[in-house]
């Protein structure tokens, strides 16, 4: 989703801003722009499409040491140059970039801006025009900015330039992410530490409804009443190399390949001195104090949550529900007496999940966030955090975060079971080690999966993934992976459920990819495969060593039955990757999607 960068210092801002925007490309966007302030005034460049398109329209002769930039993911108004940010006030004095959604912008337009000719369809332009209106009424920029913020309902991260106050960037945030990066003789603002990690690793978090006044020497954080807030910086543990593709053609492939390494990092991060996997005891106590767990997540993280429910129930004996955040927030079920909420979010910024977090905190409940991003909004606002240690995930389609989420959920379930005297019948450390090795075998078998993508998905319009028990949950994730990057209509289905209606869609040649890794339902899923094959489906079975049948297309190495989702997803990720590649799709940046979904 939209991303913001800003730089104020001694160097030429243009490359720093463009590089920062490029680092945020993975978040998803459809247009981009930047504004640079120098002695001649403020120069604005914007373009529909990619940062490469923006680069083409930026006038390289413009030198400036202050600037702001933006990637836009359209919400109000089509993706176009007019609607791209930065937006300027009527006189051109103020220039603004915005991430978020202003819910009352129509009302503000009617109330304050009837005489102002607006140039775009965006909610953002209303903000910059209001700032100018209040400045024209005699307020200084800070006061006009603050007065405007007080009128806004919704989410925003903002960076503002004032032509008449060249040495300052004004920024503010509410619900949308924004960080300030600190340097010597310069300071920056960014939606994401990754955007500015090339220039600094020292960042200060901003809280909701805070304003920050940034000059090259100083950063002053204030609340909306203008009171100064003190906050220590933190070091962002990001390696600039982590966010490079290296020799890989796509981030997605790199991230699929990183999964064995991530597994080993997780084992290391969660091992105690006795080499047992565990989590902080305060988290174990919070789980034990709950009578029911509510996992809240979206998309791939929701699918990881489904597997997590199985672990928390089967290993730790705690009733657990899993809910899609965007539904839960408006349609909350009857809650138990002592619920604990577990938010699963790779980015830690997903607005739908955050809306639930805000609501359950208002109700006085405790929350744990499982996230890949330290210091992210969901992590900050929950009572407890468990980190994924997966390293930055750049491809829009989530891969290594999914397996990391499942692993951390298994470790959480194991730690809670241990505290309850429920002895695990296996060593999780050892079993996750076996998983890491099996993952490696699968990552090395790319050619097989590329061939499968050719054999089953080269020309098809649709595809079904089926499985039972844990394999069903992996089928849901497999279908999501395929549809989001290859645009093939795909459905994940419980094997036994097809005959209750959906089997009507099976015709000659329809690809049906079945997972068979669960002993208790092995015969049942094979029966389901026969049902669809009899109706003409082009079937493909991926099974696990020990459960295989003669005609299985691929047999994955054996891992503990509960941990199969960690390995069985890898062939599916690779099949989706190659199907998208063969269809010339933009694998890392699929259409209409964003990495960090910061609007509800
Ligand atoms: C799909 C995908 C999305 C995310 C979802 C939640 O590959 O990545 O479905 O899982 O948007 O995002 P997070 O986990 O950041 O809350």
């Amino acid at each position: 989703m939209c991303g913001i960068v800003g730089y104020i210092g001694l160097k030429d801002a243009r490359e720093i801003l463009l590089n920062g925007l490029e680092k945020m490309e993975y978040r998803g966007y459809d247009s981009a722009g930047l504004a640079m302030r120098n002695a001649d005034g403020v120069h604005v460049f914007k373009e529909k499409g990619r940062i490469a398109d923006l680069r083409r329209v930026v006038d390289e002769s413009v030198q400036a040491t202050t600037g702001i930039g933006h990637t836009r993911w359209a919400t109000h108004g089509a993706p176009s140059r007019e609607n791209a940010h930065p937006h300027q006030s009527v006189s051109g004095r103020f220039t603004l970039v915005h991430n978020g959604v202003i819910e009352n912008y129509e009302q503000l337009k009617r109330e304050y801006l009837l005489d102002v000719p607006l140039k775009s369809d965006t909610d953002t332009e209303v903000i910059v025009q209001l700032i100018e209106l209040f400045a024209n009424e005699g307020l200084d920029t800070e006061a006009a900015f603050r007065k405007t913020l007080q009128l806004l309902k919704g989410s925003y991260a903002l960076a503002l330039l004032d032509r008449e106050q060249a040495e300052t960037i004004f920024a503010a945030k509410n619900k949308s992410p924004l960080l300030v990066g600190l340097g010597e003789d310069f300071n920056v603002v960014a939606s994401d530490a990754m955007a500015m990690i090339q220039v600094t690793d020292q960042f200060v978090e901003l809280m909701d409804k805070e304003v920050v006044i940034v000059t090259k020497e100083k950063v002053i954080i204030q609340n909306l009443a203008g009171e100064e807030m003190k906050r220590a910086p933190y070091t962002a543990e990001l390696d600039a190399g982590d966010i490079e593709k290296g020799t890989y053609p796509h981030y997605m492939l790199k991230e699929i390949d990183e999964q064995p390494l991530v597994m080993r990092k997780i084992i290391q991060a969660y091992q105690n001195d006795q080499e047992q996997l565990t989590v902080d005891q305060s988290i174990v106590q919070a789980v034990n104090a709950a009578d029911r767990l509510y996992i809240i997540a979206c998309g791939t993280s929701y699918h990881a949550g489904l597997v997590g429910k199985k672990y928390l129930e089967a290993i730790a004996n705690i009733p657990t529900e899993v809910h899609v955040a965007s539904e839960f927030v408006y349609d909350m079920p009857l809650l138990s007496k002592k619920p604990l909420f577990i938010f699963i979010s790779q980015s830690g910024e997903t607005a739908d999940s955050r809306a639930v977090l805000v609501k359950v905190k208002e109700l006085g409940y405790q929350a744990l966030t499982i996230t890949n991003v330290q210091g992210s909004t969901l992590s900050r606002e929950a009572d407890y955090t468990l980190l994924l240690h997966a390293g930055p995930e750049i491809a829009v389609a989530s891969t290594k975060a999914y397996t990391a989420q499942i692993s951390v959920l298994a470790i959480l379930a194991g730690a809670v079971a241990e505290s309850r005297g429920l002895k695990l019948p296996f060593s999780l450390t050892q079993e996750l080690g076996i998983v890491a090795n099996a993952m490696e075998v699968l990552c090395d078998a790319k050619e097989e999966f590329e061939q499968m993508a050719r054999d089953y998905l080269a020309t098809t319009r649709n595809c079904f993934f089926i499985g039972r028990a844990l394999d069903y949950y992996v089928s849901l994730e497999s279908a999501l992976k395929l549809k989001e990057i290859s645009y093939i209509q795909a459905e994940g289905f419980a094997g036994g459920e097809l005959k209750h209606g959906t089997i009507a869609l099976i015709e000659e040649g329809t690809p049906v990819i079945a997972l068979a890794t669960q002993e208790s339902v092995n015969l049942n899923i094979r029966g389901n495969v026969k049902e669809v094959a009899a109706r003409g489906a082009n079937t493909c079975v991926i099974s696990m060593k020990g459960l295989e049948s003669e005609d299985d297309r691929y047999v994955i190495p054996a891992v503990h039955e509960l941990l199969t989702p960690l390995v069985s997803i890898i062939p599916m990720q690779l099949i989706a990757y190659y199907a998208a590649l063969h269809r010339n799709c933009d694998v890392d940046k699929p259409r209409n999607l964003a990495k960090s979904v910061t609007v509800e």
Side-chain angles (χ1 to χ4, degrees):
M1 298 249 135
C2 311
I4 286 180
V5 287
Y7 170 86
I8 184 158
L10 299 174
K11 293 195 178 150
D12 186 17
R14 188 184 59 241
E15 265 315 300
I16 294 173
L17 295 173
L18 285 167
N19 280 334
L21 292 177
E22 274 162 0
K23 293 289 176 292
M24 287 193 301
E25 282 192 295
Y26 77 98
R27 295 163 67 98
Y29 69 107
D30 41 50
S31 50
L34 57 83
M36 289 183 291
R37 168 80 176 88
N38 63 14
D40 307 333
V42 176
H43 307 261
V44 174
F45 305 96
K46 38 196 200 174
E47 192 54 288
K48 190 177 165 204
R50 293 285 152 96
I51 307 298
D53 302 310
L54 174 64
R55 274 187 181 281
R56 276 193 280 277
V57 299
V58 173
D59 180 348
E60 295 200 352
S61 66
V62 174
Q63 300 271 311
T65 53
T66 303
I68 54 179
H70 189 262
T71 49
R72 173 173 189 255
W73 190 82
T75 55
H76 294 71
S80 65
R81 185 184 289 173
E82 293 67 37
N83 290 331
H85 303 207
H87 290 283
Q88 289 196 292
S89 58
V90 172
S91 74
R93 174 177 166 188
F94 295 103
T95 306
L96 182 82
V97 291
H98 166 219
N99 171 11
V101 173
I102 303 305
E103 288 153 17
N104 60 337
Y105 83 106
E106 289 283 9
Q107 183 199 333
L108 292 171
K109 222 175 358 185
R110 281 195 303 273
E111 225 167 287
Y112 294 94
L113 302 172
L114 278 180
D115 301 333
V116 177
L118 298 179
K119 288 184 276 246
S120 74
D121 307 321
T122 63
D123 48 344
T124 306
E125 195 185 341
V126 168
I127 310 174
V128 75
Q129 302 298 3
L130 282 173
I131 296 168
E132 176 153 294
L133 181 80
F134 298 137
N136 288 344
E137 286 173 5
L139 294 183
D140 65 22
T141 304
E142 252 180 76
F145 191 36
R146 215 173 287 121
K147 180 165 177 181
T148 303
L149 297 176
Q150 274 154 352
L151 294 175
L152 304 181
K153 289 205 172 72
S155 54
Y156 56 78
L158 302 167
L160 174 78
L161 294 179
D162 175 2
R163 196 178 50 201
E164 289 166 23
Q165 210 166 325
E167 295 303 315
T168 312
I169 295 175
F170 301 87
K173 86 153 229 128
N174 186 44
K175 297 190 194 171
S176 297
L178 192 66
L179 299 169
V180 182
L182 310 179
E184 210 145 289
D185 295 327
F186 72 90
N187 288 303
V188 296
V189 293
S191 304
D192 192 322
M194 236 186 277
M196 286 294 167
I197 198 72
Q198 314 278 8
V199 293
T200 182
D201 64 356
Q202 295 301 301
F203 288 90
V204 180
E205 287 171 16
L206 295 182
M207 302 298 159
D208 283 351
K209 303 209 166 150
E210 285 185 342
V211 174
V212 55
I213 295 146
V214 186
T215 63
K216 65 177 183 305
E217 298 91 10
K218 257 205 304 212
V219 167
I220 300 170
I221 303 173
Q222 298 172 343
N223 63 17
L224 282 192
E227 292 156 347
E228 194 168 337
M229 318 296 287
K230 291 277 173 221
R231 192 147 318 128
Y234 70 93
T235 306
E237 282 166 21
L238 273 177
D239 183 343
D242 280 352
I243 53 178
E244 301 299 335
K245 273 207 299 259
T247 54
Y248 280 92
H250 297 100
Y251 281 108
M252 184 178 176
L253 196 61
K254 174 176 181 255
E255 289 160 9
I256 291 173
D257 266 358
E258 281 171 355
Q259 290 176 104
L261 179 69
V262 170
M263 190 57 50
R264 294 187 180 113
K265 276 195 185 158
I266 290 173
I267 296 173
Q268 236 175 24
Y270 284 99
Q271 234 172 17
N272 64 14
D273 295 342
Q274 291 80 50
E275 300 202 345
Q276 271 173 331
L277 292 173
T278 190
V279 300
D280 197 281
Q281 283 309 300
S282 62
I283 298 177
V284 172
Q285 279 160 17
V287 175
N288 277 328
D291 59 358
R292 185 170 282 263
L293 305 176
Y294 293 82
I295 294 181
I296 310 292
C298 311
T300 291
S301 298
Y302 168 75
H303 295 155
L306 293 171
V307 179
K309 167 189 159 71
K310 176 74 186 170
Y311 294 170
L312 289 158
E313 293 193 333
I315 301 177
N317 206 18
I318 304 190
T320 304
E321 296 179 16
V322 194
H323 293 272
V324 167
S326 55
E327 282 300 305
F328 189 94
V329 71
Y330 296 110
D331 190 16
M332 213 185 260
L334 190 61
L335 297 178
S336 66
K337 287 207 173 67
K338 286 187 278 170
L340 173 73
F341 287 84
I342 301 182
F343 291 85
I344 308 181
S345 175
Q346 187 283 129
S347 62
E349 299 295 347
T350 302
D352 288 323
S353 298
R354 185 178 186 240
V356 180
L357 177 56
V358 169
K359 203 160 182 172
V360 301
K361 291 311 294 171
E362 275 166 15
L363 294 171
Y365 298 127
Q366 293 237 303
L368 157 68
T369 290
I370 299 180
T371 182
N372 203 22
V373 184
Q374 194 177 16
S376 56
T377 305
L378 284 169
S379 163
R380 279 202 318 268
E381 295 181 357
D383 304 275
Y384 311 97
T385 295
L386 288 174
L387 289 176
L388 297 179
H389 300 284
E393 191 180 65
I394 312 275
V396 164
S398 184
T399 53
K400 61 177 177 171
Y402 171 77
T403 44
Q405 286 163 344
I406 292 175
S407 313
V408 172
L409 284 159
I411 293 169
L412 174 65
V416 174
E418 187 77 31
S419 75
R420 297 179 158 208
L422 301 167
K423 271 264 164 262
L424 289 190
F426 55 87
S427 150
L428 197 51
T429 315
Q430 194 178 329
E431 293 300 332
L432 287 179
I434 294 172
V435 163
N437 294 341
M439 284 174 153
E440 242 156 41
V441 172
L442 293 163
C443 290
D444 288 345
K446 290 193 184 65
E447 279 171 19
E448 305 259 7
F449 305 124
E450 175 161 24
Q451 193 55 46
M452 278 189 215
R454 279 189 207 289
D455 293 349
Y456 291 91
L457 303 172
T459 55
T460 189
R461 281 187 303 120
N462 60 0
C463 176
F464 289 88
F465 292 88
I466 60 170
R468 300 181 79 133
L470 281 173
D471 286 339
Y472 165 46
Y473 301 148
V474 179
S475 301
L476 295 175
E477 173 58 9
S478 308
L480 178 59
K481 275 306 77 96
L482 183 65
K483 62 188 147 191
E484 70 181 321
I485 59 169
S486 74
Y487 318 139
I488 296 171
Q489 178 148 24
E491 276 196 64
F493 243 84
E497 185 64 10
L498 278 177
K499 59 185 176 293
H500 297 290
T502 308
I503 203 164
L505 293 175
I506 303 293
E507 49 192 31
E508 200 56 43
T510 306
V512 177
I513 302 180
L515 274 174
T517 73
Q518 303 291 298
E519 190 173 6
S520 58
V521 288
N522 194 24
L523 293 179
N524 311 63
I525 190 68
R526 290 176 185 283
N528 302 138
V529 171
K530 287 208 175 82
E531 283 161 12
V532 290
R535 287 154 181 88
N538 188 14
T539 58
C540 167
V541 178
I542 297 180
S543 64
M544 195 173 69
K545 188 96 188 119
L547 300 177
E548 70 269 37
S549 275
E550 211 181 316
D551 294 334
D552 293 351
R553 178 68 193 249
Y554 190 84
V555 182
I556 60 183
V559 299
H560 190 282
E561 189 172 52
L562 277 175
L563 302 179
T564 53
L566 293 170
V567 288
S568 58
I569 192 59
I570 292 182
M572 307 308 206
Q573 293 168 344
L574 285 165
I575 290 170
Y577 171 79
Y578 287 114
L581 205 63
H582 297 160
R583 288 173 179 239
N584 293 322
C585 298
D586 191 344
V587 174
D588 282 339
K589 298 188 206 94
R591 69 185 179 209
N592 305 341
L593 294 181
K595 183 67 182 164
S596 186
V597 188
T598 50
V599 293
E600 273 181 60

